[in-house]
Protein backbone atom coordinates (compact mmCIF):
# COMPACT_ATOMS: atom_id res chain seq x y z
CA UNK A 1 0.00 0.00 0.00
CA UNK A 2 1.15 3.50 -0.81
CA UNK A 3 -0.12 6.26 1.51
CA UNK A 4 0.65 9.91 0.75
CA UNK A 5 1.13 12.15 3.77
CA UNK A 6 1.06 15.92 4.25
CA UNK A 7 0.90 18.37 7.14
CA UNK A 8 -1.00 21.66 7.23
CA UNK A 9 -1.29 22.98 10.75
CA UNK A 10 -2.10 26.39 12.13
CA UNK A 11 -4.16 27.52 15.10
CA UNK A 12 -5.38 30.99 14.21
CA UNK A 13 -6.07 33.58 16.89
CA UNK A 14 -8.09 36.13 14.95
CA UNK A 15 -7.54 38.69 17.72
CA UNK A 16 -3.79 38.64 17.05
CA UNK A 17 -2.21 41.60 15.26
CA UNK A 18 0.45 39.27 13.75
CA UNK A 19 -0.70 38.14 10.27
CA UNK A 20 0.69 34.76 9.21
CA UNK A 21 2.61 34.53 5.94
CA UNK A 22 5.00 32.08 4.29
CA UNK A 23 7.95 33.56 6.21
CA UNK A 24 6.13 32.78 9.48
CA UNK A 25 5.69 29.13 8.44
CA UNK A 26 9.31 28.92 7.28
CA UNK A 27 10.49 29.66 10.82
CA UNK A 28 9.14 26.29 11.93
CA UNK A 29 8.26 24.09 8.97
CA UNK A 30 7.76 24.65 5.26
CA UNK A 31 9.37 21.51 3.89
CA UNK A 32 8.91 18.87 1.21
CA UNK A 33 9.65 15.21 0.52
CA UNK A 34 12.03 13.01 2.54
CA UNK A 35 12.94 15.89 4.87
CA UNK A 36 9.50 15.38 6.44
CA UNK A 37 10.26 11.78 7.43
CA UNK A 38 13.76 12.71 8.62
CA UNK A 39 12.41 15.43 10.90
CA UNK A 40 9.63 13.35 12.48
CA UNK A 41 11.11 9.83 12.70
CA UNK A 42 11.49 8.89 16.36
CA UNK A 43 9.51 11.93 17.59
CA UNK A 44 6.37 11.54 19.74
CA UNK A 45 4.20 13.59 17.40
CA UNK A 46 1.51 12.89 14.77
CA UNK A 47 3.81 12.12 11.85
CA UNK A 48 6.20 10.23 14.15
CA UNK A 49 3.23 7.98 14.96
CA UNK A 50 2.31 7.58 11.29
CA UNK A 51 5.88 6.51 10.46
CA UNK A 52 6.08 3.99 13.32
CA UNK A 53 2.67 2.48 12.56
CA UNK A 54 3.48 2.08 8.85
CA UNK A 55 6.70 0.28 9.79
CA UNK A 56 4.99 -1.84 12.45
CA UNK A 57 2.22 -2.98 10.09
CA UNK A 58 4.63 -3.61 7.21
CA UNK A 59 3.77 -3.42 3.53
CA UNK A 60 2.98 0.32 3.76
CA UNK A 61 5.06 2.88 1.96
CA UNK A 62 4.62 6.49 3.14
CA UNK A 63 4.98 9.14 0.45
CA UNK A 64 5.90 12.44 2.13
CA UNK A 65 4.71 15.47 0.13
CA UNK A 66 4.50 18.86 1.88
CA UNK A 67 4.56 19.94 5.53
CA UNK A 68 3.70 23.41 6.84
CA UNK A 69 3.25 24.30 10.49
CA UNK A 70 3.98 27.34 12.57
CA UNK A 71 3.20 28.75 16.00
CA UNK A 72 -0.33 30.01 16.51
CA UNK A 73 -0.73 33.61 15.33
CA UNK A 74 -3.17 35.81 13.42
CA UNK A 75 -5.03 35.29 10.12
CA UNK A 76 -3.16 33.36 7.42
CA UNK A 77 -2.71 35.70 4.46
CA UNK A 78 -4.88 34.80 1.46
CA UNK A 79 -1.90 34.36 -0.86
CA UNK A 80 -0.12 32.15 1.72
CA UNK A 81 -3.16 29.92 2.03
CA UNK A 82 -3.42 29.64 -1.77
CA UNK A 83 0.27 28.69 -1.91
CA UNK A 84 -0.10 26.02 0.81
CA UNK A 85 -3.04 24.44 -1.02
CA UNK A 86 -1.12 24.52 -4.29
CA UNK A 87 1.92 22.84 -2.69
CA UNK A 88 -0.19 20.09 -1.11
CA UNK A 89 -1.99 19.43 -4.41
CA UNK A 90 1.20 19.51 -6.48
CA UNK A 91 2.99 17.29 -3.95
CA UNK A 92 0.19 14.73 -4.03
CA UNK A 93 -0.02 14.72 -7.83
CA UNK A 94 3.74 14.18 -8.04
CA UNK A 95 3.48 11.25 -5.60
CA UNK A 96 0.83 9.40 -7.64
CA UNK A 97 -0.10 6.62 -7.80
CA UNK A 98 -1.15 6.06 -4.18
CA UNK A 99 -3.94 4.23 -2.36
CA UNK A 100 -4.84 6.72 0.38
CA UNK A 101 -4.10 10.18 1.80
CA UNK A 102 -3.17 10.76 5.44
CA UNK A 103 -2.94 14.33 6.71
CA UNK A 104 -1.89 16.07 9.89
CA UNK A 105 -4.29 19.00 10.26
CA UNK A 106 -5.14 21.23 13.21
CA UNK A 107 -8.80 22.20 12.81
CA UNK A 108 -8.69 25.85 13.91
CA UNK A 109 -6.98 27.41 10.92
CA UNK A 110 -8.44 30.64 9.55
CA UNK A 111 -7.20 32.44 6.45
CA UNK A 112 -8.23 35.90 5.27
CA UNK A 113 -10.02 34.08 2.46
CA UNK A 114 -11.71 31.28 4.47
CA UNK A 115 -12.85 30.69 8.05
CA UNK A 116 -12.25 26.94 7.72
CA UNK A 117 -8.96 26.09 5.99
CA UNK A 118 -9.21 22.38 6.82
CA UNK A 119 -12.67 22.08 5.25
CA UNK A 120 -11.41 24.03 2.25
CA UNK A 121 -8.37 21.74 1.83
CA UNK A 122 -10.30 18.48 2.32
CA UNK A 123 -12.94 19.62 -0.18
CA UNK A 124 -10.20 20.48 -2.69
CA UNK A 125 -8.64 17.01 -2.29
CA UNK A 126 -12.02 15.28 -2.65
CA UNK A 127 -12.72 17.12 -5.86
CA UNK A 128 -9.25 16.31 -7.21
CA UNK A 129 -8.93 12.64 -6.19
CA UNK A 130 -12.58 11.55 -5.99
CA UNK A 131 -14.72 9.91 -3.34
CA UNK A 132 -13.11 6.50 -3.80
CA UNK A 133 -9.77 7.79 -2.46
CA UNK A 134 -9.63 7.17 1.31
CA UNK A 135 -8.70 10.32 3.24
CA UNK A 136 -7.83 10.31 6.93
CA UNK A 137 -6.49 13.14 9.07
CA UNK A 138 -5.38 13.80 12.61
CA UNK A 139 -6.74 16.87 14.38
CA UNK A 140 -6.00 18.99 17.42
CA UNK A 141 -8.52 18.94 20.27
CA UNK A 142 -8.80 22.71 19.79
CA UNK A 143 -10.09 22.18 16.27
CA UNK A 144 -13.31 23.97 15.34
CA UNK A 145 -14.89 21.14 13.40
CA UNK A 146 -17.23 21.82 10.48
CA UNK A 147 -19.65 19.72 8.45
CA UNK A 148 -17.48 20.43 5.41
CA UNK A 149 -14.54 18.67 7.09
CA UNK A 150 -16.69 15.65 7.94
CA UNK A 151 -18.24 15.51 4.46
CA UNK A 152 -14.87 15.46 2.71
CA UNK A 153 -12.88 13.00 4.82
CA UNK A 154 -13.38 9.32 5.71
CA UNK A 155 -11.85 9.46 9.17
CA UNK A 156 -10.74 12.28 11.48
CA UNK A 157 -8.80 11.37 14.61
CA UNK A 158 -8.55 14.06 17.28
CA UNK A 159 -6.15 14.09 20.21
CA UNK A 160 -8.05 13.64 23.44
CA UNK A 161 -5.60 14.98 25.97
CA UNK A 162 -4.70 18.57 26.76
CA UNK A 163 -1.63 18.72 27.09
CA UNK A 164 -1.62 16.85 23.77
CA UNK A 165 0.46 13.89 24.95
CA UNK A 166 -1.41 11.55 22.55
CA UNK A 167 -0.45 13.13 19.20
CA UNK A 168 1.70 10.09 18.45
CA UNK A 169 -1.16 7.67 19.18
CA UNK A 170 -3.55 9.51 16.85
CA UNK A 171 -0.95 9.38 14.06
CA UNK A 172 -0.79 5.61 14.57
CA UNK A 173 -4.62 5.38 14.60
CA UNK A 174 -4.86 7.16 11.26
CA UNK A 175 -2.45 4.83 9.46
CA UNK A 176 -3.76 1.69 11.17
CA UNK A 177 -7.37 2.40 10.20
CA UNK A 178 -6.47 3.45 6.66
CA UNK A 179 -4.74 0.06 6.41
CA UNK A 180 -7.93 -1.68 7.61
CA UNK A 181 -10.00 0.33 5.15
CA UNK A 182 -7.72 -0.55 2.24
CA UNK A 183 -7.92 -4.25 3.17
CA UNK A 184 -11.72 -4.01 3.18
CA UNK A 185 -11.84 -4.71 6.93
CA UNK A 186 -13.38 -1.34 7.89
CA UNK A 187 -16.23 0.73 6.50
CA UNK A 188 -15.96 3.98 8.46
CA UNK A 189 -19.10 6.04 9.07
CA UNK A 190 -18.33 9.36 10.74
CA UNK A 191 -20.67 11.81 12.47
CA UNK A 192 -20.32 15.22 14.06
CA UNK A 193 -22.34 17.02 16.71
CA UNK A 194 -21.62 20.72 17.16
CA UNK A 195 -22.59 22.59 20.32
CA UNK A 196 -23.42 26.32 20.50
CA UNK A 197 -20.82 26.98 23.18
CA UNK A 198 -17.16 27.88 23.72
CA UNK A 199 -14.97 26.94 26.66
CA UNK A 200 -11.67 28.36 27.90
CA UNK A 201 -8.49 26.35 27.24
CA UNK A 202 -9.01 23.74 29.97
CA UNK A 203 -6.85 20.70 30.79
CA UNK A 204 -8.07 17.10 30.54
CA UNK A 205 -5.63 15.89 33.20
CA UNK A 206 -8.27 16.55 35.86
CA UNK A 207 -11.66 18.20 36.26
CA UNK A 208 -14.76 18.14 34.03
CA UNK A 209 -13.00 17.44 30.74
CA UNK A 210 -11.34 14.35 32.19
CA UNK A 211 -14.87 13.09 32.82
CA UNK A 212 -15.80 13.93 29.23
CA UNK A 213 -12.86 11.82 28.04
CA UNK A 214 -14.05 8.95 30.20
CA UNK A 215 -17.44 9.19 28.49
CA UNK A 216 -15.75 9.03 25.05
CA UNK A 217 -13.63 6.06 26.20
CA UNK A 218 -16.79 4.22 27.33
CA UNK A 219 -18.18 4.61 23.80
CA UNK A 220 -14.91 3.45 22.24
CA UNK A 221 -15.12 0.30 24.38
CA UNK A 222 -18.44 -0.62 22.71
CA UNK A 223 -18.38 -2.98 19.72
CA UNK A 224 -18.51 -1.14 16.40
CA UNK A 225 -17.12 2.21 17.60
CA UNK A 226 -13.68 2.95 16.13
CA UNK A 227 -13.09 6.40 17.62
CA UNK A 228 -14.89 8.99 19.74
CA UNK A 229 -13.37 12.36 20.61
CA UNK A 230 -14.57 15.61 22.15
CA UNK A 231 -13.21 18.81 20.63
CA UNK A 232 -12.89 21.76 23.00
CA UNK A 233 -12.68 24.08 19.99
CA UNK A 234 -10.57 27.21 19.83
CA UNK A 235 -12.52 30.16 21.27
CA UNK A 236 -10.01 32.80 20.11
CA UNK A 237 -10.95 32.25 16.46
CA UNK A 238 -13.86 34.58 15.75
CA UNK A 239 -15.23 32.39 12.97
CA UNK A 240 -18.52 30.64 12.06
CA UNK A 241 -16.58 27.36 12.42
CA UNK A 242 -15.86 27.95 16.11
CA UNK A 243 -17.61 25.74 18.67
CA UNK A 244 -17.31 22.74 20.96
CA UNK A 245 -18.01 19.48 19.11
CA UNK A 246 -17.86 15.68 19.18
CA UNK A 247 -16.81 13.29 16.40
CA UNK A 248 -17.43 9.54 16.38
CA UNK A 249 -16.48 6.91 13.81
CA UNK A 250 -18.33 3.59 13.69
CA UNK A 251 -17.75 0.58 11.47
CA UNK A 252 -20.57 0.56 8.91
CA UNK A 253 -23.16 1.99 11.34
CA UNK A 254 -23.83 5.70 11.06
CA UNK A 255 -26.70 5.57 13.56
CA UNK A 256 -24.36 4.15 16.20
CA UNK A 257 -21.80 6.90 15.57
CA UNK A 258 -24.55 9.49 15.83
CA UNK A 259 -25.76 8.02 19.11
CA UNK A 260 -22.24 8.37 20.50
CA UNK A 261 -21.68 11.98 19.43
CA UNK A 262 -25.10 13.07 20.71
CA UNK A 263 -24.59 11.36 24.05
CA UNK A 264 -21.18 12.97 24.65
CA UNK A 265 -22.44 16.34 23.39
CA UNK A 266 -25.39 16.18 25.83
CA UNK A 267 -22.98 15.25 28.62
CA UNK A 268 -20.91 18.39 27.90
CA UNK A 269 -23.90 20.70 27.40
CA UNK A 270 -25.61 19.63 30.60
CA UNK A 271 -22.63 20.74 32.69
CA UNK A 272 -21.72 23.86 30.67
CA UNK A 273 -21.61 26.08 33.79
CA UNK A 274 -18.61 24.24 35.27
CA UNK A 275 -16.17 25.39 32.57
CA UNK A 276 -16.28 29.03 33.65
CA UNK A 277 -13.54 29.55 36.24
CA UNK A 278 -12.36 32.77 37.81
CA UNK A 279 -8.57 33.07 37.94
CA UNK A 280 -6.40 35.43 40.01
CA UNK A 281 -4.54 38.36 38.45
CA UNK A 282 -0.75 38.81 38.57
CA UNK A 283 -0.50 40.31 42.08
CA UNK A 284 -2.83 37.84 43.77
CA UNK A 285 -1.31 34.85 41.95
CA UNK A 286 2.26 35.83 42.85
CA UNK A 287 1.23 36.32 46.46
CA UNK A 288 -0.13 32.77 46.54
CA UNK A 289 3.00 31.38 44.86
CA UNK A 290 5.45 33.19 47.16
CA UNK A 291 3.60 32.09 50.28
CA UNK A 292 3.61 28.43 49.23
CA UNK A 293 5.90 26.42 51.58
CA UNK A 294 7.14 24.09 48.81
CA UNK A 295 9.10 25.00 45.72
CA UNK A 296 9.38 25.47 42.86
CA UNK A 297 5.97 26.94 42.11
CA UNK A 298 5.09 27.46 38.44
CA UNK A 299 3.09 30.62 37.78
CA UNK A 300 1.62 30.35 34.29
CA UNK A 301 0.29 33.48 32.61
CA UNK A 302 -2.43 31.82 30.57
CA UNK A 303 -3.61 35.06 28.94
CA UNK A 304 -0.36 35.62 26.99
CA UNK A 305 0.11 32.07 25.75
CA UNK A 306 2.14 31.93 22.52
CA UNK A 307 0.65 28.46 22.09
CA UNK A 308 -2.72 30.14 21.58
CA UNK A 309 -1.48 32.90 19.30
CA UNK A 310 -0.64 35.53 21.92
CA UNK A 311 2.61 37.50 21.43
CA UNK A 312 4.51 36.07 24.43
CA UNK A 313 6.02 39.48 25.13
CA UNK A 314 3.37 40.68 27.59
CA UNK A 315 4.59 42.47 30.69
CA UNK A 316 1.72 42.34 33.20
CA UNK A 317 3.15 39.46 35.25
CA UNK A 318 6.80 40.37 34.66
CA UNK A 319 6.19 43.93 35.92
CA UNK A 320 4.68 42.56 39.11
CA UNK A 321 7.65 40.21 39.62
CA UNK A 322 10.18 42.99 39.07
CA UNK A 323 8.26 45.25 41.45
CA UNK A 324 8.51 42.60 44.19
CA UNK A 325 12.14 41.79 43.30
CA UNK A 326 12.20 38.59 45.35
CA UNK A 327 15.41 36.51 45.28
CA UNK A 328 14.96 33.04 43.78
CA UNK A 329 12.36 34.06 41.21
CA UNK A 330 12.67 33.89 37.45
CA UNK A 331 10.70 34.43 34.24
CA UNK A 332 11.07 31.80 31.52
CA UNK A 333 10.52 33.32 29.07
CA UNK A 334 9.66 36.44 27.09
CA UNK A 335 9.98 36.90 23.32
CA UNK A 336 11.72 40.13 22.32
CA UNK A 337 14.17 40.06 19.42
CA UNK A 338 15.27 43.68 20.00
CA UNK A 339 16.23 43.02 23.61
CA UNK A 340 18.09 39.84 22.60
CA UNK A 341 20.03 41.77 19.94
CA UNK A 342 20.97 44.45 22.50
CA UNK A 343 22.23 41.81 24.95
CA UNK A 344 24.26 40.01 22.30
CA UNK A 345 25.76 43.28 21.12
CA UNK A 346 26.72 44.30 24.67
CA UNK A 347 28.12 40.86 25.52
CA UNK A 348 28.04 38.71 28.65
CA UNK A 349 28.84 40.56 31.85
CA UNK A 350 27.71 43.92 30.46
CA UNK A 351 25.03 46.08 32.05
CA UNK A 352 22.48 47.38 29.62
CA UNK A 353 19.41 49.59 29.66
CA UNK A 354 16.74 47.97 27.58
CA UNK A 355 13.03 48.31 26.70
CA UNK A 356 11.64 44.88 27.42
CA UNK A 357 8.44 43.35 26.05
CA UNK A 358 5.01 44.87 25.41
CA UNK A 359 5.92 45.75 21.83
CA UNK A 360 3.64 43.60 19.66
CA UNK A 361 0.35 45.23 20.63
CA UNK A 362 -1.22 47.34 23.35
CA UNK A 363 -3.26 44.58 25.03
CA UNK A 364 -0.44 42.78 26.82
CA UNK A 365 1.05 45.61 28.87
CA UNK A 366 3.55 48.35 28.04
CA UNK A 367 7.32 47.92 27.48
CA UNK A 368 9.38 47.95 30.68
CA UNK A 369 12.46 50.19 30.79
CA UNK A 370 14.92 48.16 32.84
CA UNK A 371 18.59 48.00 33.69
CA UNK A 372 19.88 44.46 33.38
CA UNK A 373 23.05 42.45 33.68
CA UNK A 374 23.66 40.20 30.68
CA UNK A 375 24.42 36.91 32.44
CA UNK A 376 24.50 34.61 29.41
CA UNK A 377 24.03 34.76 25.65
CA UNK A 378 23.32 31.64 23.61
CA UNK A 379 21.28 30.05 20.83
CA UNK A 380 18.03 28.65 22.23
CA UNK A 381 18.04 25.29 20.46
CA UNK A 382 17.41 21.93 22.14
CA UNK A 383 15.60 18.59 21.95
CA UNK A 384 12.38 18.62 23.97
CA UNK A 385 12.03 16.15 26.85
CA UNK A 386 8.35 16.86 27.55
CA UNK A 387 6.14 13.79 27.09
CA UNK A 388 4.33 16.02 24.58
CA UNK A 389 6.35 15.81 21.36
CA UNK A 390 9.36 14.24 23.07
CA UNK A 391 12.43 14.03 20.83
CA UNK A 392 11.43 16.99 18.64
CA UNK A 393 13.89 19.78 17.92
CA UNK A 394 13.00 23.25 19.20
CA UNK A 395 14.75 26.38 17.96
CA UNK A 396 13.72 29.77 19.30
CA UNK A 397 16.62 31.71 17.79
CA UNK A 398 19.20 33.64 19.78
CA UNK A 399 18.49 34.15 23.47
CA UNK A 400 19.82 35.82 26.56
CA UNK A 401 19.59 35.40 30.31
CA UNK A 402 19.22 38.78 31.96
CA UNK A 403 19.43 39.56 35.67
CA UNK A 404 17.09 42.40 36.56
CA UNK A 405 17.49 43.17 40.26
CA UNK A 406 17.00 39.78 41.89
CA UNK A 407 15.01 38.30 39.03
CA UNK A 408 16.44 36.09 36.25
CA UNK A 409 14.69 36.59 32.91
CA UNK A 410 15.21 34.52 29.76
CA UNK A 411 14.49 36.42 26.54
CA UNK A 412 14.30 34.70 23.14
CA UNK A 413 14.09 35.95 19.57
CA UNK A 414 11.11 33.74 18.72
CA UNK A 415 7.98 33.25 20.79
CA UNK A 416 6.99 29.88 22.25
CA UNK A 417 5.49 28.36 25.35
CA UNK A 418 7.70 26.60 27.89
CA UNK A 419 7.10 22.83 27.70
CA UNK A 420 9.89 21.42 29.90
CA UNK A 421 13.04 22.51 31.77
CA UNK A 422 15.44 22.20 28.81
CA UNK A 423 15.48 25.97 28.24
CA UNK A 424 16.15 26.59 31.94
CA UNK A 425 19.06 24.12 31.93
CA UNK A 426 20.43 25.64 28.72
CA UNK A 427 20.62 29.04 30.43
CA UNK A 428 22.26 27.70 33.60
CA UNK A 429 19.04 27.90 35.62
CA UNK A 430 18.19 24.50 37.13
CA UNK A 431 14.64 24.43 38.51
CA UNK A 432 15.80 23.55 42.02
CA UNK A 433 17.38 26.98 42.38
CA UNK A 434 14.05 28.79 42.19
CA UNK A 435 11.11 29.37 44.46
CA UNK A 436 8.91 30.76 41.68
CA UNK A 437 9.24 30.16 37.94
CA UNK A 438 6.93 32.33 35.82
CA UNK A 439 6.05 31.06 32.35
CA UNK A 440 3.68 31.78 29.47
CA UNK A 441 1.48 28.78 28.74
CA UNK A 442 -2.08 27.64 29.39
CA UNK A 443 -1.93 23.86 29.81
CA UNK A 444 0.78 22.19 27.67
CA UNK A 445 3.43 22.86 30.33
CA UNK A 446 1.55 20.44 32.61
CA UNK A 447 2.79 17.43 30.62
CA UNK A 448 6.20 18.00 32.23
CA UNK A 449 5.71 20.39 35.14
CA UNK A 450 2.68 18.82 36.81
CA UNK A 451 5.04 16.26 38.35
CA UNK A 452 8.26 18.32 38.22
CA UNK A 453 6.88 21.35 40.11
CA UNK A 454 5.59 21.52 43.69
CA UNK A 455 2.56 23.55 42.71
CA UNK A 456 0.98 25.38 39.80
CA UNK A 457 -0.71 28.79 40.09
CA UNK A 458 -2.47 30.06 36.97
CA UNK A 459 -2.84 33.82 36.54
CA UNK A 460 -5.05 35.65 34.07
CA UNK A 461 -4.01 39.14 32.98
CA UNK A 462 -5.38 41.15 30.04
CA UNK A 463 -4.41 39.33 26.84
CA UNK A 464 -5.71 37.53 23.76
CA UNK A 465 -5.77 34.09 25.37
CA UNK A 466 -7.53 35.15 28.58
CA UNK A 467 -10.20 32.94 30.15
CA UNK A 468 -12.41 36.02 30.35
CA UNK A 469 -14.42 36.04 27.10
CA UNK A 470 -15.92 39.45 27.97
CA UNK A 471 -12.59 40.91 26.78
CA UNK A 472 -13.39 40.05 23.17
CA UNK A 473 -15.77 41.74 20.72
CA UNK A 474 -16.93 38.62 18.85
CA UNK A 475 -18.65 39.34 15.54
CA UNK A 476 -19.29 35.77 14.31
CA UNK A 477 -21.93 33.33 15.59
CA UNK A 478 -19.75 32.89 18.71
CA UNK A 479 -21.41 35.99 20.20
CA UNK A 480 -24.69 34.04 20.39
CA UNK A 481 -23.03 31.01 22.02
CA UNK A 482 -22.85 30.06 25.67
CA UNK A 483 -21.45 31.66 27.83
CA UNK A 484 -21.52 34.92 25.80
CA UNK A 485 -25.29 34.53 25.50
CA UNK A 486 -27.31 32.55 28.04
ZN1 LIG B 1 -4.37 22.32 20.93
Amino acid sequence: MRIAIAQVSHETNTFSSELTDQAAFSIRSWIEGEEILRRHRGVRDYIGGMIDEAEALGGIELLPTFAAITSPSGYIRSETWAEIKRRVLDGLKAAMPFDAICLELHGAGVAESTGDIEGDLLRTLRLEFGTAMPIAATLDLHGNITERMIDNADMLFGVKEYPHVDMYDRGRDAIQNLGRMLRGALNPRMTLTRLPMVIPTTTTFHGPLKAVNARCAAWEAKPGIVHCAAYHGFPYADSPATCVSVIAIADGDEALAQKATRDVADFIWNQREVFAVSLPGAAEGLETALSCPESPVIVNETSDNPGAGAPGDGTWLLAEMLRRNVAGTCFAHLADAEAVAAAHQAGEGARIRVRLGGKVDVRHGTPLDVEAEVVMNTRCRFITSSPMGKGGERDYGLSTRLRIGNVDVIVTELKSQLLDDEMLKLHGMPMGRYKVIAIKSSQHFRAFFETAAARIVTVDTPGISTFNFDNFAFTSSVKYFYPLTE
Side-chain angles (χ1 to χ4, degrees):
M1 293 171 201
R2 288 162 59 85
I3 300 178
I5 62 171
Q7 173 201 51
V8 176
S9 182
H10 188 250
E11 184 177 78
T12 308
N13 188 321
T14 62
F15 299 101
S16 167
S17 61
E18 302 171 284
L19 285 181
T20 308
D21 57 12
Q22 186 174 332
F25 280 99
S26 297
I27 288 170
R28 186 139 162 224
S29 179
W30 181 279
I31 57 176
E32 291 176 336
E34 292 299 318
E35 170 68 6
I36 299 169
L37 300 184
R38 191 202 63 74
R39 197 177 287 193
H40 291 276
R41 182 170 277 119
V43 179
R44 300 287 293 185
D45 62 11
Y46 297 104
I47 296 178
M50 293 176 195
I51 294 169
D52 282 359
E53 186 64 21
E55 284 172 4
L57 290 174
I60 294 179
E61 185 187 357
L62 294 184
L63 312 169
T65 60
F66 177 65
I69 183 172
T70 192
S71 294
S73 44
Y75 283 102
I76 302 169
R77 285 191 180 278
S78 298
E79 61 269 27
T80 306
W81 177 238
E83 180 65 15
I84 287 173
K85 268 204 307 183
R86 189 185 70 73
R87 294 217 180 207
V88 172
L89 258 183
D90 287 355
L92 288 171
K93 284 181 195 165
M96 286 170 77
F98 47 78
D99 306 297
I101 298 170
C102 188
L103 307 170
E104 176 195 330
L105 303 176
H106 184 285
V110 181
E112 289 171 320
S113 48
T114 172
D116 169 25
I117 64 165
E118 294 83 5
D120 183 24
L121 179 67
L122 289 165
R123 175 80 184 138
T124 303
L125 300 187
R126 264 287 189 253
L127 287 173
E128 181 67 33
F129 298 102
T131 51
M133 172 65 68
I135 299 177
T138 59
L139 288 169
D140 190 282
L141 143 164
H142 296 108
N144 294 317
I145 313 303
T146 64
E147 294 289 352
R148 189 164 63 158
M149 290 162 65
I150 296 290
D151 290 346
N152 293 289
D154 295 283
M155 297 180 288
L156 299 172
F157 295 97
V159 283
K160 299 166 187 178
E161 299 293 347
Y162 182 28
H164 307 329
V165 290
D166 52 340
M167 297 185 289
Y168 175 84
D169 304 295
R170 296 298 83 77
R172 293 195 77 148
D173 285 350
I175 291 295
Q176 185 185 88
N177 286 296
L178 275 176
R180 289 175 64 200
M181 232 184 125
L182 290 171
R183 291 197 313 273
L186 173 65
N187 172 26
R189 311 298 297 175
M190 182 163 61
T191 59
L192 167 72
T193 298
R194 286 167 50 91
L195 283 163
M197 64 184 284
V198 287
I199 56 177
T201 47
T202 309
T203 186
T204 57
F205 278 16
H206 36 72
L209 289 163
K210 186 177 180 179
V212 169
N213 274 357
R215 192 90 173 187
C216 291
W219 274 102
E220 281 187 346
K222 292 182 199 292
I225 295 282
V226 177
H227 176 75
C228 181
Y231 290 79
H232 303 184
F234 189 61
Y236 313 114
D238 189 13
S239 151
T242 300
C243 71
V244 174
S245 66
V246 185
I247 289 179
I249 304 169
D251 188 4
D253 189 345
E254 190 162 325
L256 179 64
Q258 197 154 73
K259 218 171 142 186
T261 61
R262 289 196 174 153
D263 172 71
V264 177
D266 283 345
F267 185 72
I268 297 169
W269 179 252
N270 290 337
Q271 52 175 326
R272 58 194 176 279
E273 290 89 358
V274 302
F275 301 111
V277 291
S278 176
L279 298 168
E284 189 190 337
L286 266 184
E287 195 62 50
T288 304
L290 289 166
S291 60
C292 179
E294 301 94 30
S295 65
V297 179
I298 297 287
V299 179
N300 67 302
E301 192 173 26
T302 188
S303 38
D304 182 25
N305 174 18
D313 80 333
T315 54
W316 298 114
L317 177 59
L318 177 64
E320 186 63 27
M321 283 185 85
L322 296 181
R323 192 182 69 75
R324 289 172 187 250
N325 198 28
V326 176
T329 62
C330 70
F331 208 110
H333 54 292
L334 223 71
D336 187 334
E338 275 177 28
V340 171
H344 277 253
Q345 193 169 20
E348 292 179 358
R351 292 197 72 82
I352 57 173
R353 292 204 62 86
V354 66
R355 300 209 94 188
L356 188 57
K359 293 169 184 167
V360 173
D361 65 27
V362 296
R363 299 177 82 138
H364 299 84
T366 52
L368 305 179
D369 290 305
V370 296
E371 191 183 324
E373 177 194 348
V374 180
V375 179
M376 184 191 193
N377 289 329
T378 186
R379 170 78 180 260
C380 195
R381 190 151 113 192
F382 53 87
I383 303 294
T384 186
S385 57
S386 165
M388 196 186 111
K390 188 171 184 164
E393 187 181 291
R394 300 282 180 265
D395 185 352
Y396 303 131
L398 295 178
S399 63
T400 187
R401 170 184 165 193
L402 302 177
R403 171 68 66 80
I404 305 169
N406 289 320
V407 184
D408 281 321
V409 181
I410 297 174
V411 190
T412 57
E413 278 187 307
L414 302 176
K415 69 175 187 176
S416 68
Q417 57 182 321
L418 194 78
L419 295 178
D420 54 45
D421 67 342
E422 297 300 331
M423 188 187 295
L424 289 159
K425 290 190 292 194
L426 182 65
H427 291 84
M429 298 162 56
M431 284 181 70
R433 192 182 292 172
Y434 296 97
K435 164 126 197 83
V436 169
I437 302 169
I439 68 167
K440 291 181 181 290
S441 178
S442 290
Q443 305 293 351
H444 282 331
F445 71 98
R446 288 182 189 275
F448 177 87
F449 288 102
E450 192 134 295
T451 49
R455 191 168 163 193
I456 290 163
V457 177
T458 300
V459 300
D460 201 359
T461 59
I464 61 169
S465 54
T466 173
F467 274 36
N468 184 358
F469 293 145
D470 292 339
N471 285 14
F472 302 104
F474 288 102
T475 58
S476 70
S477 41
V478 173
K479 70 180 172 186
Y480 303 115
F481 286 4
Y482 185 86
L484 290 124
T485 300
E486 285 291 322

